[in-house]
Structures are given as structure tokens and as C-alpha cells.
């Protein structure tokens, strides 16, 4: 210290002050990048042509190009640089291995390869993954349930850089606690993209099946390169290695009594656990008591266990070296969020937010059937957008709008000129309708009141003439711009459930009822452009695929759908050419966590932590590795 001059000391102090003021330390602690491979995928799009697609990573140099090989022979005449896709004329019916090799300064690199084996019987347009469908099950009331493939998630379970699929099986008698009756058992399966079955977790008789109970979080929580699975369990849960959690013989379901209208099938008593499962084997690694316990049912707002049995979950960076898992209970009345850290050995509580606390009592009743995760206040850590309120990364309330419960919510940056992120939300109270707000402060930017239950809302850029994203709701009162102005009547054919980036331009397409449709902003109509023949979407009127997101190939999104008989999953790949080459959206934390939470209750589409839409054209900015012309 004696050799440091006052001038040098002043510079050091200024640098530290700058770091603290801009939260450099916080942002560094909160970085997240999964180790991703090239995500190479090849699908036959017609008898003569195979489409090969792969990832463009943020670690790639800007002028990187690629060579494409089929069974060891290069098939492109010049390195591919415009996009990360290649159409190969291939009429062979033999199994084929495609490789993609990076080229930098006209030199092909000897590492960084990615490969995919196209089967000899490859179907057109999608990857087929055969499933091990659970057998039909008889419940204690004598009724038989069958199974269908339901919500899915993706993560690297074994550390090879490739994503695996984690799938929930849904019995045909699944239901929430507003309905009497037994449900069949819920299962979680893991499959590799090539169809290899990895393991099955049987959640057991004491976990009810339905959209509101099993929110399974899949992510690498301790940074070892292999994702874990976290889910609520109970007595009788069987892990992927055949070992029981708790008492294997216990049955906590309320008993069926013939000719009596009791709440049979309900699970209102007995222990509740939270279990971390090994992603590679499905083995239960740690089990703790679920926080909060159900306690006295009426304290949640009813006496039959409906409001107490509503669960949400998320993964978020909350200040630790690694992400935390957040398990939630309740949203109609009391709401509790409990954050945990997993170090590979111990599942350690980080904080608990409880609206029974006097300090946060006003936050009760503000939750949705879903949630969003993002760093809305730009401090480097994530907040939980819990419907009409927001919980800060430290487990304290950030703000509360008081607008109450809703069924759908969208969070992203809505225009190039937006400061931070915004939220488009709809409400069930037959009063507040739909609201557009600042995600960091809760300030209402505009509101469309309604005297009906507005059950759905959507936000996507579907009109290149209008600035920013467009918004609409199920009350059918027009398509709005970011100022709240009506720019067009909403066509009846314009869906309001899910969305997908599919056809190669910067606009987003709609995903609903086994179809992809595109809005025609000139004719003010919506038209189907893709049908998923022989497939079914999930969850009734919610009509969502098992998963949608940028999980393979270039920046466009894939759609994972079950066949009508649930004998297979299909991963549909966009067959359309694109002139854009963007870094994979998986590297954006907000987007990645929107995939992680997509299976939560009423599924919501992926959305990034940045503006993405037609206004990027002519902007002159460099966006995710792509330079737009001014």
C-alpha cells in the first residue's frame, strides 16, 4: 500500500464505485450458459431433399462459416455463411450421418463438429421418438384410465451437450381439486433425441394428476453440466432406479363411498415432500419436507382443498453462484414461494415469501396459473413475476398492482425503444380485463377494462407496419399496439393460446389446435400454413403442444407434439429457408427459463429478454450476431 499513490488509489476507488453502481459483480455472478453442442439436426422435407440445420453460438467468431458433410463427404460447394441451414439433394434411403464443421478464415477447424444420424426410414418434416406408454390403470372406484403424453421439458441430463426430453404422462381422469374422483398415477419419463429411453419416475398414488399439481423443474442447479429434476413427491413415489420415497404402503386418498357425494380421491392429509432426482439415472438424491405444508385447508380460502392444491414452480438466478429452484403454493388467496439451492448433496432453503406475513399480506390473491422469470430491475439477478405482483430476488415483494388472478401472462421487451421489459396480463375478476405494465415497477401503461373473465391474452409481433409487438385478448375487442390503440379488429381465426417462430421472417406465427397459422396484416385475416397431421395438442381449450422452443438447429423454434395415440413424440423442424443467422435463443436467460417454466399449469409460449420483431430491419444494429442494414 505504501507504493500506491493517491492518484492510483483514487482510480481504484472510482473503478470499484463504477462496478458497484452498474452491478458488474452481480451480473457476473448471475451469468448462465449451458454447454451446448451444435444441435445439428437433419430431416427429410421431400423425397429428394434433406434439410440440415445447426446452432450459431455466441462463442463463434462473427465471420464463421460451415461445411456440411454426408457420410464423410462434403456436400456444399462453398462454406455456408448466410444462415445455419443447408438443403442437401439426397434421394438415398439409407441411414445417413450428417456432420457440420466450422470454417474460420477459410480453414476448416478440427474441433467443434456436430453430427446427426438421419435414419433410413426418416419421416418427412420431423424426428420421431417412440414412447413407452404406461398401461391403462384401474382406480379404487373401478374406473379405468388411459394415458397420453402431456407436458415436456428439455435439458442436458448426462453432460454430453445434447438436450434430452423429460415428459409427463397424464391419465385420462386427471383433474384439479374442484372435482371429485380418483386420478391415475402421474409419471415422468426421460428420452434421448434418438429415442433411447433413460428412466421413469412413478410419482405414486399420493400425488394427484392434473395441470395444477406436478410442476417439474429440469435444469443444472449445481453447475456440474448435468441437469436435475425437482418435483413435489409423497409416500409411494418410486424413483428412476426403483427405490421408494417415504412409506411405500401409505394411501392418503379420501376413500370412495358408494352412493355418497363425498370428496373421494382428494389428498388432503399425509406428508408432502420435495425431491431432487438425478437427471442421468432418475435416482432420488435428496428429499425434504415441502414448504409450505398444506396446514389447515380453510386458511387457504376453502374447506375442500382446492385453493391449497395449486402449485407453480420456477428456476431463477437469485444471487448465488448457481440458479435456485423456486416451488410455489397458492395464488387465489394465500401464496407462498420457497427458494432452494442445490449443491449436489444438500437441498438448502434460501428464502420463503409468504403472504401470511403481515408485511406481504397485500400480495395475497395476485397469482396466475403461471409465472415468468426475468431480471426486470437490471440488478443482475432474477425476479419472479407472480401474476399481478413481482417478488424480488431476495424473497421480498418488489411491487403489487392489486389487479388479482389471471390465466395468461407475457413478459418481454415490446419494442426497440422500450426501456427494460414489459408485461401483458389478463385478469379473471370481470373488472380489470387486460393490462400492459412496466415489469420493473408495476406501473400500468394502458388498460382495457372488461366485465367478462378474460381467460387468454397474447403478445407477438405479427404486423411489420406497426411499431413493436401487437397484443390481443380473448375478449375479441381488437389488436392493440404498444400505446393501447386499436390497429385492427381481431379476426376470429387469430389464435390466442401459443406462438412460434417458424417460417423464417422476423414475425411470429400462431400455434393452436394442431396448426400453425400466420396473420395477414394487409387483409386483416389469419391463415393456416402448417398442419400437424396425425397429432394432438394437450390440455383441452389451452391447446398447447408438449413443448415449443429453439431446442435444435437454427434460431427458429421446434414444436414437440404427441401422436394421436401417444405412441410417439414428433419434433417438427421448420422446413422454410431463412436469410437470418442469429445466436441460439437458448443462450438468453429469460428465454431459457421460459422453456423451463413452460410446463407450469397453463402453458405459456417462450419469450426472450429482448425485443424481437420486424422493427429490427433497417435498424443498423448488430443483434445476436447478425448485422442489420440501416
Amino acid at each position: 500500500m505504501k507504493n500506491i499513490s493517491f492518484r492510483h488509489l483514487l482510480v481504484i476507488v472510482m473503478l470499484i464505485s463504477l462496478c458497484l453502481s452498474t452491478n458488474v459483480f452481480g451480473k457476473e455472478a448471475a451469468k448462465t450458459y449451458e454447454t451446448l453442442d451444435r444441435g445439428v439436426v437433419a430431416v427429410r422435407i421431400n423425397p429428394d431433399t434433406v434439410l440440415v440445420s445447426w446452432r450459431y453460438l455466441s462463442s463463434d467468431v462473427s465471420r464463421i462459416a460451415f461445411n456440411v458433410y454426408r457420410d464423410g463427404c462434403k456436400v456444399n460447394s462453398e462454406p455456408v455463411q448466410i444462415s445455419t441451414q443447408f438443403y442437401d439433394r439426397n434421394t438415398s434411403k439409407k441411414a445417413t450421418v450428417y456432420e457440420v464443421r466450422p470454417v474460420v478464415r477459410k480453414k476448416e477447424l478440427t474441433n467443434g463438429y456436430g453430427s446427426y444420424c438421419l435414419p433410413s426410414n426418416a419421416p418427412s418434416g420431423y424426428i420421431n421418438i417412440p414412447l413407452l406408454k404406461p398401461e391403462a390403470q384401474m382406480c379404487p372406484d373401478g374406473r379405468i384410465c388411459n394415458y397420453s403424453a402431456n407436458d415436456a421439458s428439455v435439458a442436458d441430463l448426462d453432460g454430453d451437450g445434447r438436450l434430452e426430453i423429460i415428459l409427463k404422462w397424464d391419465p385420462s381422469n386427471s383433474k384439479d381439486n374442484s372435482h371429485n374422483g380418483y386420478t391415475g398415477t402421474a409419471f415422468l419419463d426421460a428420452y434421448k433425441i434418438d429415442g433411447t429411453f433413460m428412466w421413469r419416475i412413478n410419482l405414486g398414488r399420493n400425488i394427484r394428476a392434473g395441470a395444477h399439481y406436478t410442476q417439474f423443474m429440469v435444469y443444472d442447479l449445481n453447475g456440474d453440466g448435468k441437469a436435475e429434476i425437482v418435483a413435489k413427491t409423497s409416500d409411494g413415489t418410486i424413483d428412476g432406479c426403483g427405490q421408494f420415497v417415504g412409506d411405500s404402503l401409505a394411501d392418503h386418498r379420501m376413500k370412495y363411498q358408494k352412493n355418497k357425494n363425498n370428496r373421494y380421491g382428494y389428498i388432503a392429509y399425509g406428508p408432502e415432500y420435495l425431491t431432487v432426482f438425478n437427471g442421468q439415472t432418475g435416482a432420488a438424491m435428496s428429499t425434504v419436507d415441502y414448504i409450505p405444508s398444506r396446514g389447515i385447508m380453510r386458511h387457504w380460502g376453502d374447506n375442500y382443498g382446492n385453493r391449497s392444491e395449486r402449485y407453480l414452480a420456477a428456476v431463477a438466478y437469485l444471487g448465488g453462484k448457481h440458479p435456485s429452484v423456486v416451488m410455489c403454493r397458492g395464488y387465489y388467496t394465500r401464496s407462498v414461494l420457497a427458494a432452494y439451492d442445490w449443491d449436489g448433496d444438500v437441498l438448502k432453503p434460501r428464502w420463503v415469501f409468504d403472504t401470511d406475513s403481515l408485511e406481504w399480506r397485500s400480495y395475497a390473491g395476485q397469482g396466475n396459473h403461471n409465472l415468468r422469470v426475468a431480471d426486470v430491475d437490471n440488478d443482475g439477478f432474477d425476479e419472479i413475476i407472480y401474476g399481478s405482483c413481482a417478488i424480488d430476488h431476495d424473497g421480498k415483494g418488489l411491487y403489487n398492482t392489486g389487479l388479482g388472478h389471471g390465466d395468461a401472462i407475457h413478459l418481454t421487451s415490446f419494442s426497440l425503444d422500450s426501456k427494460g421489459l414489459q408485461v401483458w396480463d389478463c385478469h379473471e375478476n370481470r373488472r380489470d380485463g387486460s393490462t400492459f405494465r412496466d415489469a420493473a415497477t408495476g406501473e400500468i401503461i394502458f388498460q382495457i377494462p372488461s366485465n367478462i373473465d378474460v381467460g387468454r391474452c397474447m403478445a407477438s409481433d405479427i404486423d411489420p407496419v406497426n411499431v413493436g409487438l401487437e397484443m390481443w385478448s380473448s375478449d375479441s375487442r381488437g389488436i392493440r399496439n404498444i400505446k393501447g390503440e386499436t390497429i385492427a379488429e381481431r379476426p376470429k381465426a387469430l389464435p390466442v393460446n401459443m406462438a412460434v417462430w417458424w417460417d423464417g421472417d422476423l414475425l411470429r406465427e400462431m400455434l393452436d389446435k394442431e396448426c400453425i397459422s400466420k396473420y395477414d396484416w394487409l387483409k386483416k385475416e389469419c391463415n393456416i400454413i402448417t398442419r400437424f397431421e396425425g397429432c394432438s395438442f394437450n390440455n383441452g381449450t389451452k391447446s398447447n403442444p408438449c413443448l415449443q422452443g429453439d431446442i435444435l438447429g437454427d434460431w427458429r423454434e421446434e414444436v414437440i407434439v404427441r401422436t394421436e395415440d401417444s405412441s410417439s413424440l414428433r419434433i417438427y423442424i421448420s422446413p422454410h429457408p431463412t436469410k437470418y443467422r442469429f445466436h441460439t435463443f437458448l443462450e438468453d436467460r429469460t428465454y431459457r427459463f421460459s422453456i423451463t417454466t413452460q410446463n407450469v399449469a397453463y402453458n405459456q409460449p417462450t419469450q426472450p429478454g429482448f425485443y424481437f420483431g420486424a422493427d429490427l430491419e433497417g435498424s443498423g444494429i448488430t443483434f445476436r450476431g447478425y448485422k442489420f442494414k440501416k
Side-chain angles (χ1 to χ4, degrees), residues 101-103 107-113:
R101 305 181 185 179
V103 178
K107 182 178 180 179
E108 189 175 274
L109 302 184
T110 57
N111 55 17
Y113 290 12

Side-chain angles (χ1 to χ4, degrees), residues 244-295:
F244 281 95
V245 173
D247 183 350
S248 62
L249 300 178
D251 187 345
H252 304 300
R253 297 171 295 182
M254 296 177 69
K255 300 299 183 283
Y256 172 73
Q257 298 179 48
K258 191 174 182 180
N259 299 325
K260 290 188 178 182
N261 186 28
N262 69 331
R263 294 285 176 180
Y264 69 92
Y266 277 47
I267 302 165
Y269 307 97
E272 301 174 283
Y273 306 126
L274 183 65
T275 300
V276 181
F277 297 94
N278 183 290
Q280 192 163 5
T281 66
M285 296 189 290
S286 179
T287 296
V288 299
D289 290 337
Y290 191 89
I291 298 175
S293 63
R294 59 175 64 90

Side-chain angles (χ1 to χ4, degrees), residues 69-143:
Y69 287 78
R70 184 205 319 141
D71 293 333
C73 297
K74 187 158 70 81
V75 292
N76 56 301
S77 57
E78 295 292 332
V80 180
Q81 191 172 16
I82 299 300
S83 64
T84 51
Q85 62 173 188
F86 181 78
Y87 292 89
D88 178 35
R89 181 171 174 78
N90 177 2
T91 59
S92 173
K93 295 183 179 180
K94 297 180 180 179
T96 303
V97 175
Y98 280 95
E99 289 181 297
V100 173
R101 305 181 185 179
V103 178
V104 176
R105 295 177 182 176
K106 300 182 179 181
K107 182 178 180 179
E108 189 175 274
L109 302 184
T110 57
N111 55 17
Y113 290 12
S115 64
Y116 180 80
C117 180
L118 184 71
S120 58
N121 59 346
S124 179
Y126 61 87
I127 301 170
N128 190 69
I129 302 176
L131 299 175
L132 296 177
K133 184 177 179 178
E135 294 182 357
Q137 187 177 107
M138 180 177 286
C139 293
D141 57 4
R143 297 177 181 177

Side-chain angles (χ1 to χ4, degrees), residues 410-429:
H410 303 276
L411 180 149
T412 188
S413 177
F414 278 65
S415 75
L416 271 178
D417 297 327
S418 295
K419 292 183 179 179
L421 304 174
Q422 296 79 44
V423 173
W424 175 237
D425 196 3
C426 57
H427 308 283
E428 208 175 64
N429 57 21

